[in-house]
Amino acid sequence: MSISAGEVRHVAELARMALSDHEVEELSAQLSRILDHMETLRELPTDDVEPTAHVLPIRNVWRQDTVGESLPPDAALANAPERRGNYFLVPKIVER
Amino acid sequence: MRYEMVVGLEVHIELSTESKMFCDCSAKFGGEANTHVCPVCLGMPGVLPVPNKKAIDYAMRASLALNCQIAPFTKFDRKNYHYPDMPKDYQISQYDKPIGSNGYVVIRTDKGDRRIGIRRLHMEEDTGKSLHEGVAAGSLLDFNRAGVPLIEIVSEPDIRTAEEARLYLQKIRTIMLYTGVSDVKMEEGSMRCDANISLRPEGSSEFGTLVEIKNMNSFRSVQRALEYEAARQQSVLESGGRIVRETRHWDEGRGVTFSSRSKEEAHDYRYFPDPDLVPLEINQEWVDEVRRALPELPDQRFRRYVEEYNLPAYDARVLVEDLALAGFFDEAVAAGANPKAASNWIMVDLQGLLKGEGKSISEVKIKPSHLTQLIDLIEKATISGKIAKDVLVEVCFTGKDPESVVKEKGLVQITDESALIKAAEEVLAANPGPVEDYRKGKKNAIGFLVGQLMKATRGKANPGLANDILRKLLDGSV
């Protein structure tokens, strides 16, 4: 099973990764090999196996609805690329 | 060719929990920017989200109220996309196993009742808020809302007119208010709506190409946007064009939809089960517990008003659609008021007063028991219906009980014949014309004279008694 350069570019775009032509070529070969391996796995009979939603056999973990302490704004904003007052400042988000 | 619109709506509702969906930050609306945030809702590495039990219960309650089935096994998935208001770069949502599915609501249209299917109801988390206006340097982000619990309610494409879309939304809103899971305020964004709309020739059973519309901020803008978009698609089709599958934004000011996100980017979310969150197993016992806690819902209340109290359907609907007003009515009836009388007073006088003052029932001082007492005073003929209207206004503003108002202001109805006779004689003496008319056989001239007598007693005369006395005086039998 092969994955095309176009598909690699599409996935890279979705992941916001800039790839050189060389990397696209390299990755499409690597990803194809991974998919080949999946094809091999697919040969196993799994008709009677429930899809796995989680690897741990644990269910129903939750917390009660109580409010705890939030971060002080300076801590929350400590890693912000830039801030204005208590807001994170990011490059202009453009619609359309 | 005549076309019909095929519409499905996606409604997002913020749940009224104290804390967020996956962390214990406050879920309260507003607050100073980035003061309700922590490493979990800021998407910092290595944190562990833990779901809010109340949010799950609320999602189940909403599902049951919308006649959905509850999934015995459900889980959380990651919906992957990049947007600056979502710090993790994925939203925790539910993909193939939503907590609720296969429900419906019934809406009342001009053409009768219509059942609108609900395909699914799932849990997810809200995004942060971005501000663009008036900031030259870029966009500002506030993550207070990020991680607030949401439910998304997806309808079947059963809606055929913009009006039905509005009715559907109103119904969803009322049901959510009744269940108490959300305050459903469109203006504060705790209820939001996106629409999927396509056109097809009337009578066809095929589906046309779908367009998604976003950014509609009121019931009215949903209706307007759908009307606009249907007209736009129709003119594209009629000029031989093709509808492009895309997302369009509603521009409230210009009254148009415009194309936004490019289609390659949209709908490629690469969902997968969130490994940070273990699945949920919901047994029948849990479902039953949530079902038992369900309050009376709008449709049930409507039936009770019509079938048990014989209220007209219109009145019943007006009451049912206003939770506070319906509660007021129920309490007045529980305190012993005649249901029809109580409904009439609420529908006409109380509503009129509230509209005039621009207030809600909780903002005036009248209590349900006051209405019961007022109706009782009329039934016992202590005051006339006309005087009662003034008493109602007084009670609304002062919060005094009607009996005290009547006593203080000396409004007790004159039911004593001797007290009325003198006033009646004066009225007759002052109005020789009508008296003559009556005696000549124009019997309905008495109406005018009764009016004069009521006026002379400032409304305190018992109208039936006033009528009797005048008649007797005129007929010379006193």
Side-chain angles (χ1 to χ4, degrees):
Chain A
M1 179 138 183
S2 77
I3 182 162
S4 70
E7 282 170 299
V8 173
R9 286 206 174 83
H10 173 63
V11 174
E13 160 92 29
L14 289 171
R16 299 293 187 274
M17 287 169 73
L19 299 180
S20 67
D21 288 351
H22 173 70
E23 283 169 322
V24 168
E25 205 177 303
E26 204 172 62
L27 281 167
S28 68
Q30 287 176 0
L31 289 171
S32 297
R33 280 204 299 282
I34 293 170
L35 288 182
D36 285 343
H37 183 59
M38 293 296 155
E39 284 301 308
T40 309
L41 289 179
R42 215 210 282 263
E43 288 166 18
L44 284 170
T46 56
D47 291 349
D48 301 333
V49 182
E50 281 282 309
T52 304
H54 202 279
V55 292
L56 300 176
I58 305 172
R59 303 286 184 259
N60 297 9
V61 174
W62 51 61
R63 35 174 278 278
Q64 296 306 315
D65 181 31
T66 49
V67 177
E69 235 175 276
S70 293
L71 285 177
D74 283 344
L77 288 151
N79 295 322
E82 275 192 81
R83 65 185 275 189
R84 281 286 184 284
N86 273 358
Y87 288 93
F88 290 81
L89 176 65
V90 298
K92 198 86 175 169
I93 303 164
V94 194
E95 286 290 348
R96 75 200 294 184
Chain B
M1 195 188 309
R2 288 176 63 86
Y3 290 92
E4 72 173 359
M5 62 169 91
V6 176
V7 173
L9 295 178
E10 294 172 8
V11 177
H12 284 91
I13 288 170
E14 274 182 3
L15 301 176
S16 305
T17 52
E18 296 296 320
S19 65
K20 290 188 178 181
M21 185 72 213
F22 298 111
C23 63
D24 62 4
C25 285
S26 166
K28 208 173 264 164
F29 176 75
E32 204 186 322
N34 293 306
T35 53
H36 304 164
V37 294
C38 74
V40 173
C41 56
L42 286 175
M44 292 184 181
V47 296
L48 189 66
V50 184
N52 182 334
K53 168 73 160 40
K54 188 161 203 180
I56 300 168
D57 282 332
Y58 275 4
M60 287 170 66
R61 193 192 289 183
S63 297
L64 292 174
L66 298 172
N67 305 298
C68 286
Q69 274 137 30
I70 303 284
F73 178 92
T74 181
K75 64 187 170 72
F76 292 103
D77 301 278
R78 292 186 180 181
K79 179 180 182 178
N80 299 281
Y81 66 99
H82 295 267
Y83 210 74
D85 62 11
M86 204 179 47
K88 293 193 294 292
D89 275 353
Y90 61 83
Q91 179 187 30
I92 304 175
S93 181
Q94 297 197 287
Y95 181 49
D96 56 334
K97 296 200 180 297
I99 191 161
S101 58
N102 289 320
Y104 65 87
V105 294
V106 176
I107 57 169
R108 186 165 299 246
T109 71
D110 297 343
K111 292 173 197 146
D113 285 357
R114 289 256 294 125
R115 182 190 274 231
I116 309 294
I118 295 193
R119 180 176 295 171
R120 57 183 283 159
L121 181 154
H122 67 256
M123 299 181 278
E124 58 187 30
E125 55 175 347
D126 211 343
T127 59
K129 262 187 186 163
S130 46
L131 291 166
H132 320 286
E133 307 298 319
V135 190
S139 296
L140 300 180
L141 299 175
D142 171 12
F143 293 114
N144 282 353
R145 200 182 65 181
V148 168
L150 285 181
I151 49 174
E152 178 173 338
I153 301 164
V154 182
S155 85
E156 294 290 349
D158 290 345
I159 295 162
R160 293 290 173 272
T161 66
E163 164 82 0
E164 285 181 7
R166 188 178 56 77
L167 291 170
Y168 168 81
L169 290 172
Q170 271 168 347
K171 191 64 182 266
I172 296 279
R173 180 172 183 279
T174 311
I175 292 171
M176 291 302 121
L177 271 181
Y178 270 63
T179 58
V181 302
S182 172
D183 57 11
V184 276
K185 291 182 181 162
M186 273 193 108
E187 67 281 9
E188 284 184 6
S190 58
M191 175 171 179
R192 307 193 282 271
C193 172
D194 300 330
N196 288 309
I197 171 172
S198 62
L199 288 196
R200 67 181 175 194
E202 214 164 71
S204 159
S205 57
E206 312 260 297
F207 290 108
T209 304
L210 205 74
V211 168
E212 185 181 23
I213 312 176
K214 288 182 174 288
N215 196 40
M216 299 168 292
N217 298 320
S218 66
F219 292 150
R220 199 177 120 72
S221 58
V222 170
Q223 195 170 354
R224 284 177 68 206
L226 289 174
E227 277 160 7
Y228 172 86
E229 182 59 21
R232 185 192 72 85
Q233 291 188 15
Q234 179 160 353
S235 71
V236 170
L237 293 171
E238 280 173 349
S239 59
R242 274 192 166 183
I243 304 299
V244 183
R245 186 179 174 124
E246 61 180 348
T247 299
R248 298 177 71 86
H249 274 236
W250 169 245
D251 183 324
E252 182 76 35
R254 290 190 294 148
V256 298
T257 62
F258 63 90
S259 183
S260 49
R261 222 187 266 181
S262 76
K263 68 175 172 188
E264 302 83 56
E265 230 179 316
H267 309 301
D268 198 345
Y269 296 129
R270 296 146 293 141
Y271 285 94
F272 63 89
D274 192 321
D276 288 342
L277 292 153
V278 298
L280 295 171
E281 277 176 8
I282 303 175
N283 58 21
Q284 195 55 42
E285 203 180 328
W286 187 3
V287 175
D288 290 343
E289 186 189 314
V290 175
R291 196 188 294 279
R292 273 196 301 274
L294 266 185
E296 183 186 44
L297 295 169
D299 287 350
Q300 297 166 318
R301 187 171 257 180
F302 176 82
R303 274 195 296 276
R304 179 161 63 87
Y305 287 179
V306 171
E307 287 166 16
E308 281 182 35
Y309 298 158
N310 287 314
L311 299 190
Y314 175 82
D315 295 15
R317 196 165 312 117
V318 171
L319 287 176
V320 164
E321 278 169 13
D322 187 328
L323 189 56
L325 223 45
F328 188 95
F329 169 77
D330 276 341
E331 280 186 54
V333 171
N338 172 302
K340 266 194 160 163
S343 160
N344 278 336
W345 277 97
I346 292 171
M347 293 289 298
V348 181
D349 296 277
L350 199 49
Q351 285 260 68
L353 180 135
L354 294 174
K355 276 202 185 113
E357 295 290 315
K359 286 185 172 163
S360 71
I361 185 84
S362 58
E363 292 169 316
V364 291
K365 293 184 174 164
I366 188 168
K367 294 192 179 61
S369 59
H370 291 154
L371 182 60
T372 309
Q373 203 182 74
L374 188 74
I375 292 167
D376 192 45
L377 289 171
I378 304 165
E379 281 173 358
K380 286 195 306 211
T382 309
I383 54 172
S384 65
K386 193 164 176 302
I387 288 286
K389 287 176 195 285
D390 300 336
V391 175
L392 181 85
V393 173
E394 186 72 14
V395 173
C396 281
F397 289 114
T398 65
K400 288 180 188 162
D401 66 273
E403 251 170 63
S404 312
V405 173
V406 168
K407 263 185 208 149
E408 274 172 33
K409 302 212 155 189
L411 299 172
V412 175
Q413 188 161 243
I414 304 170
T415 49
D416 176 6
E417 252 187 66
S418 58
L420 270 184
I421 287 177
K422 191 169 171 293
E425 281 169 348
E426 281 168 21
V427 164
L428 294 183
N431 297 283
V435 170
E436 176 125 10
D437 288 347
Y438 179 88
R439 293 203 165 121
K440 278 185 185 155
K442 248 182 99 182
K443 297 291 178 198
N444 57 10
I446 197 165
F448 173 80
L449 295 167
V450 171
Q452 291 302 304
L453 182 53
M454 294 303 291
K455 207 169 152 189
T457 57
R458 285 178 303 143
K460 290 191 286 181
N462 175 304
L465 189 61
N467 202 306
D468 280 356
I469 288 175
L470 284 167
R471 202 175 290 276
K472 283 182 192 165
L473 287 174
L474 287 164
D475 296 342
S477 58
V478 172

